[in-house]
Amino acid sequence: MAWADLRQGRIYEQTGRFDLAAFEYFDTLRKGAKDGDKIQAEFELASSLQTMKLFYSASYYFGQVLVNHSGPNPYRARALEALTKIDAEYPLGPSFMQSLLAKGLDPNATPEASRAFFYYYLGKDQFAKSHWGEAKNAFARITLKSPFFVKASFHLGIIQALENEPAKAIRSFHNVIRHANRLGNAEWLREQATINIARIHYEAKDFVRAIASYAKIPRNSDNWLTALFEASWAFFLMENSNNTLGNIHTLHSPFFDNRFFPESYILQAVTFLRLCQFEQVKNSVDAFKTRYTPVLSELSKILDEAKTNPNKMVDWVRAYNSQSLQVYRNAWPIFDALARTDVARQMLSFVANVDKELLILEGTPEAWRSTGLRGTLNEFLNGKKAAIVKDAGRALYQESQFYLQYLSDLSEQTKLIHAELMLGKIEQLRRKLQIRTTPKKENFIGGMQPLVIGQNLEYWPFEGEYWEDELGGYVYNIESQCKK
Amino acid sequence: MLRKTRWILALVALSILASSVYAEEEELFKEFEIRVIRPRYFIKRHRFELGIQAAAIVNQTFYYTYLATAIVGFHFSEQFSLELLGAYGYSQAKEDQAILQDDFDIKTEYTPTQLFYGASFLWTPMYGKYQLRNGRLIYFDTFLSAGGGMIGILEKYDYCQANQERSSQVVSYPYFEFGIGQRFFISRDDSIRWDIKSPMYFSNTADSSCVAGSAGQSFFNQNINLQLGYSRFL
């Protein structure tokens, strides 16, 4: 009797035995419960799994509640609410929503208040296809109260920036900064939004503001070196060569041997070129070759090896992250860069969470195995994991192809600079760099901070020894050698 | 533990009235191709320093002297400051003194420093930083001091014969001193500070004579004070 199993499940729930309750609800389903009992059993099973911290497993049954039933469904809104909550901590990904839609989920059958979940994933899907208009419409329908508001604002900001609406984009990113605390990865989102604001100012040639935004990224953040590097371009365009070179000095410190900023050598070379420090130009070009020629060569081998099996990319990135990678030593900066991509971060976090759930499943009562509940969830989790790993492998492979192209292009640029140096035509190249882009000239100290008159400063000379606390604070002190 | 220090050249240090600290520092470091320029971690300029210290006079042969010291200072700039200090303490005879008296009937002179107060001028020509193994930085500075004031010597006359007894008194002499010390900045307002000071003064032998009113001679004295304490910057 289905109702008897449901009642037993509720009794177990009341005594805190959610594992036994889940079994009773699953048993109800296994025995072929119909209609109301079935929906209730699915919903209660999902809720029990959620309480047991089996979040992805719970998402499977909450999804069933949404798709398996036509007509009135008293659990639809609560299931969506639960999925929204799970998604905030453990992103379910667009594929989850796609699978629900493929199974016949009708967003219009959902109360308006619960539709943010659909709008967000619909927007994300359209965003991935570069359908900006549709994506924007979907994101714009998510209200401030929704847990999806922050992530939707972030995407909206990107679209507005791409559509050349900088003021609106900045507003959207400020929304992210203001409300990011609602989500688990608040700091990361806030920093990404700040960097995007900096980029918008940079695009608008408002370099002072761009640098002020980059300076907000804390030193201990994963985004800090990116901010430092991008700010050095802003300094370059402001003709603050000493700050450009100072930032690059940090990027080239031994602390960041495995970080991937090849373009910093080109920027360093052209900055020296602008100052007519020709010997230094040559040094920068040589340093690029020394550091990145072996990377380029190993990256080609990596792409060859992973061509037929992109999942290898995931294995290498995971091994790099756990410091157990033994191969392709010269290409570790590539693995480091790949490990920092959103794809890899999300995949690694997802796999870790799924593995955690699989481990919890191992310890569930024997009845879970004998009735097939454990098998069903194992199959679901492993299938989901395999799909995510496969997608991530493909994405990481594509990213690596991009790095290969990027490195090849930079390598060509160094050859050009070198050839011009050899041919004595460097003056022509140098003249091309005399691009006055900003009327505003401002003095900066280290750390991307503007000089404030009257401020107490401390100076530390760099005499060949890198100090961790000094990273990001370097400023060069060289003058142009160009003839007036 | 790594250490990095920098010296402020004396010549530049004399430009106390320089209006632009930035220009001054810029000048100092112009020879370096790469510098770190950042807001100073610990700012002393135009701040008061309140300190307490425990002091020990370490060069006295027959007794220990301990003093509690209070300091009030004002920093005109990062390099120069003026401070007032006062100390009061007690002394305790060493075992040697008892042995000499009990075994050899030799009475040693017992004229410990009981107090001193005065003013010092401090010049801080050097600051630096230590990096601990855990990556934490400790900033410090090193200063030289010169000053003067009054020192109070306790004359107990207990080495006098019974028939020569004089009542004990604190005799004051002007002193001048030179010193060296360091502050270790544990936060943006607090520091641990040590000083070695050497107050020097001329005493009059008549003041320690067992016979009141006898003629005396001027006698040079030098203490070595080791001071350790805490300073709060306001």
Side-chain angles (χ1 to χ4, degrees):
Chain A
M1 295 286 281
W3 60 269
D5 290 336
L6 286 172
R7 202 178 63 173
Q8 187 58 43
R10 272 195 297 277
I11 291 168
Y12 281 133
E13 258 182 31
Q14 281 158 10
T15 54
R17 292 302 307 267
F18 293 97
D19 51 348
L20 297 179
F23 162 73
E24 293 296 339
Y25 296 133
F26 182 75
D27 208 34
T28 308
L29 294 173
R30 199 169 58 98
K31 287 172 183 165
K34 297 248 180 319
D35 305 328
D37 283 347
K38 188 178 179 203
I39 304 180
Q40 190 184 351
E42 281 169 347
F43 181 80
E44 298 294 355
L45 171 56
S47 300
S48 296
L49 294 172
Q50 189 180 10
T51 313
M52 290 172 70
K53 297 189 187 308
L54 293 166
F55 297 108
Y56 290 123
S57 305
S59 75
Y60 172 72
Y61 282 104
F62 282 129
Q64 299 293 315
V65 172
L66 294 178
V67 296
N68 279 354
H69 312 282
S70 53
N73 183 344
Y75 294 99
R76 186 185 293 271
R78 285 166 68 190
L80 272 171
E81 204 179 293
L83 284 172
T84 303
K85 213 169 166 185
I86 291 172
D87 188 83
E89 286 290 318
Y90 303 91
L92 298 168
S95 59
F96 178 77
M97 177 56 64
Q98 278 157 9
S99 72
L100 294 184
L101 291 170
K103 286 178 188 166
L105 173 70
D106 178 11
N108 294 321
T110 310
E112 181 66 31
S114 312
R115 284 189 202 169
F117 187 85
F118 299 117
Y119 295 142
Y120 174 67
Y121 279 110
L122 185 68
K124 250 189 121 174
D125 188 43
Q126 296 299 322
F127 182 87
K129 292 172 184 159
S130 305
H131 296 163
W132 307 136
E134 290 86 341
K136 217 159 65 166
N137 286 342
F139 291 132
R141 294 177 76 172
I142 297 172
T143 59
L144 180 64
K145 285 181 188 166
S146 164
F148 290 98
F149 178 76
V150 176
K151 289 197 263 188
S153 295
F154 190 85
H155 284 88
L156 204 55
I158 294 173
I159 296 169
Q160 287 159 338
L162 289 169
E163 290 188 334
N164 207 17
E165 294 179 315
K168 284 185 182 173
I170 288 175
R171 221 170 18 245
S172 294
F173 289 126
H174 275 303
N175 277 336
V176 175
I177 294 168
R178 207 170 303 132
H179 301 287
N181 273 347
R182 296 180 189 179
L183 300 179
N185 55 346
E187 211 45 58
W188 179 255
L189 273 171
R190 204 177 284 127
E191 288 171 11
Q192 291 290 332
T194 305
I195 287 185
N196 284 345
I197 290 172
R199 286 170 181 161
I200 292 168
H201 289 309
Y202 180 94
E203 285 290 315
K205 297 187 171 46
D206 189 346
F207 301 118
V208 174
R209 278 197 181 156
I211 290 166
S213 293
Y214 285 126
K216 288 179 186 164
I217 305 299
R219 290 180 83 245
N220 58 359
S221 159
D222 229 15
N223 292 308
W224 184 60
L225 284 191
T226 303
L228 205 64
F229 172 63
E230 292 185 14
S232 38
W233 269 114
F235 280 129
F236 177 78
L237 293 171
M238 288 173 77
E239 298 189 43
N240 279 11
S241 301
N242 283 324
N243 287 92
T244 304
L245 295 170
N247 279 10
I248 292 172
H249 190 68
T250 294
L251 291 166
H252 292 177
S253 82
F255 286 96
F256 306 120
D257 264 351
N258 280 339
R259 297 300 296 267
F260 185 63
F261 289 97
E263 201 180 315
S264 62
Y265 288 96
I266 310 299
L267 179 56
Q268 191 183 42
V270 294
T271 307
F272 282 129
L273 192 57
R274 182 187 254 173
L275 298 170
C276 299
Q277 302 266 3
F278 299 119
E279 195 53 39
Q280 300 272 43
V281 176
K282 195 173 166 302
N283 290 343
S284 299
V285 169
D286 288 346
F288 173 85
K289 281 186 201 159
T290 308
R291 186 160 175 183
Y292 285 104
T293 305
V295 176
L296 193 62
S297 143
E298 284 210 339
L299 182 54
S300 300
K301 289 181 197 161
I302 287 168
L303 287 169
D304 278 347
E305 193 179 335
K307 198 171 184 177
T308 50
N309 182 10
N311 280 10
K312 281 192 172 177
M313 299 301 303
V314 172
D315 296 338
W316 290 323
V317 168
R318 288 178 75 177
Y320 176 81
N321 246 19
S322 60
Q323 297 178 346
S324 60
L325 186 66
Q326 299 295 331
V327 292
Y328 295 123
R329 177 67 189 83
N330 289 329
W332 281 12
I334 297 290
F335 292 121
D336 187 88
L338 290 173
R340 290 171 200 277
T341 57
D342 283 345
V343 170
R345 293 163 72 97
Q346 282 164 15
M347 178 271 295
L348 290 171
S349 146
F350 180 86
V351 168
N353 289 328
V354 167
D355 286 344
K356 216 185 292 173
E357 283 197 25
L358 288 169
L359 204 66
I360 296 175
L361 282 179
E362 293 275 312
T364 51
E366 173 57 22
W368 280 46
R369 193 195 59 77
S370 58
T371 55
L373 175 56
R374 194 188 293 170
T376 306
L377 293 177
N378 266 329
E379 193 184 334
F380 168 72
L381 290 172
N382 282 317
K384 204 166 164 62
K385 186 169 141 182
I388 293 275
V389 166
K390 193 175 168 191
D391 286 349
R394 267 202 300 261
L396 292 174
Y397 187 84
Q398 279 172 4
E399 190 71 12
S400 305
Q401 282 179 314
F402 165 77
Y403 290 152
L404 183 74
Q405 186 58 48
Y406 177 52
L407 271 180
S408 304
D409 290 347
L410 293 176
S411 184
E412 286 305 312
Q413 288 178 33
T414 59
K415 284 178 193 159
L416 173 74
I417 295 170
H418 190 69
E420 298 274 334
L421 266 177
M422 293 294 104
L423 292 169
K425 286 189 199 164
I426 208 69
E427 266 307 305
Q428 287 173 19
L429 192 59
R430 205 184 69 75
R431 268 198 294 275
K432 285 185 196 163
L433 297 171
Q434 301 306 308
I435 28 168
R436 285 202 81 86
T437 47
T438 171
K440 207 167 177 184
K441 185 101 173 141
E442 193 160 334
N443 286 320
F444 285 80
I445 58 172
M448 301 181 272
Q449 298 178 64
L451 171 67
V452 179
I453 301 298
Q455 188 178 23
N456 281 290
L457 299 174
E458 63 182 23
Y459 280 60
W460 298 101
F462 176 78
E463 296 172 292
E465 183 183 69
Y466 285 93
W467 278 56
E468 203 171 351
D469 68 296
E470 294 178 355
L471 299 173
Y474 298 113
V475 181
Y476 265 59
N477 179 33
I478 54 173
E479 290 182 4
S480 172
Q481 299 291 311
C482 306
K483 289 175 195 150
K484 298 281 180 208
Chain B
M1 187 162 69
L2 292 167
R3 192 182 72 167
K4 190 168 190 172
T5 55
R6 42 153 292 186
W7 288 86
I8 298 165
L9 303 176
L11 186 67
V12 182
L14 289 174
S15 59
I16 189 170
L17 297 175
S19 58
S20 166
V21 177
Y22 175 66
E24 182 187 304
E25 299 268 302
E26 186 69 28
E27 180 65 19
L28 266 173
F29 288 87
K30 69 178 181 185
E31 77 212 66
F32 294 100
E33 187 176 285
I34 308 170
R35 302 94 49 97
V36 172
I37 310 175
R38 63 186 180 196
R40 186 180 273 269
Y41 173 76
F42 196 96
I43 298 166
K44 291 177 297 190
R45 187 164 166 255
H46 295 167
R47 292 179 83 181
F48 282 98
E49 178 182 355
L50 301 182
I52 48 168
Q53 289 183 323
I57 300 175
V58 294
N59 64 332
Q60 292 168 322
T61 314
F62 295 115
Y63 42 91
Y64 301 104
T65 301
Y66 303 104
L67 302 111
T69 309
I71 296 170
V72 179
F74 181 74
H75 293 261
F76 301 105
S77 69
E78 294 304 322
Q79 295 168 44
F80 297 101
S81 65
L82 187 66
E83 65 184 26
L84 304 175
L85 71 163
Y88 189 88
Y90 79 98
S91 296
Q92 186 185 333
K94 289 183 182 173
E95 201 184 345
D96 296 354
Q97 193 189 37
I99 293 170
L100 284 172
Q101 183 163 349
D102 297 346
D103 297 353
F104 303 100
D105 200 25
I106 298 171
K107 286 192 170 183
T108 57
E109 201 171 288
Y110 184 57
T111 54
T113 302
Q114 190 172 59
L115 60 95
F116 64 87
Y117 54 88
S120 294
F121 183 72
L122 272 68
W123 174 43
T124 308
M126 185 175 148
Y127 72 81
K129 58 187 179 181
Y130 285 102
Q131 185 165 28
L132 306 180
R133 287 245 171 258
N134 64 8
R136 192 182 165 193
L137 284 178
I138 304 283
Y139 288 83
F140 69 92
D141 67 12
T142 305
F143 55 84
L144 302 172
S145 67
M150 296 299 287
I151 190 164
I153 306 300
L154 179 64
E155 295 285 3
K156 279 191 157 177
Y157 303 111
D158 52 1
Y159 46 84
C160 297
Q161 302 299 322
N163 58 353
Q164 297 175 314
E165 246 176 38
R166 288 180 73 178
S167 52
S168 63
Q169 59 174 333
V170 176
V171 184
S172 292
Y173 302 106
Y175 77 88
F176 60 97
E177 57 97 357
F178 297 103
I180 187 169
Q182 284 186 315
R183 297 183 193 90
F184 292 88
F185 301 107
I186 51 176
S187 78
R188 290 180 190 273
D189 297 314
D190 306 280
S191 74
I192 301 291
R193 168 178 166 169
W194 65 259
D195 290 65
I196 295 174
K197 284 179 180 286
S198 180
M200 289 166 271
Y201 60 95
F202 288 95
S203 60
N204 192 326
T205 51
D207 292 329
S208 39
S209 166
C210 294
V211 182
S214 60
Q217 283 181 326
S218 194
F219 185 76
F220 179 74
N221 298 272
Q222 181 178 23
N223 287 349
I224 306 287
N225 295 3
L226 187 59
Q227 300 174 204
L228 178 68
Y230 160 83
S231 284
R232 173 89 178 167
F233 283 74
L234 305 174

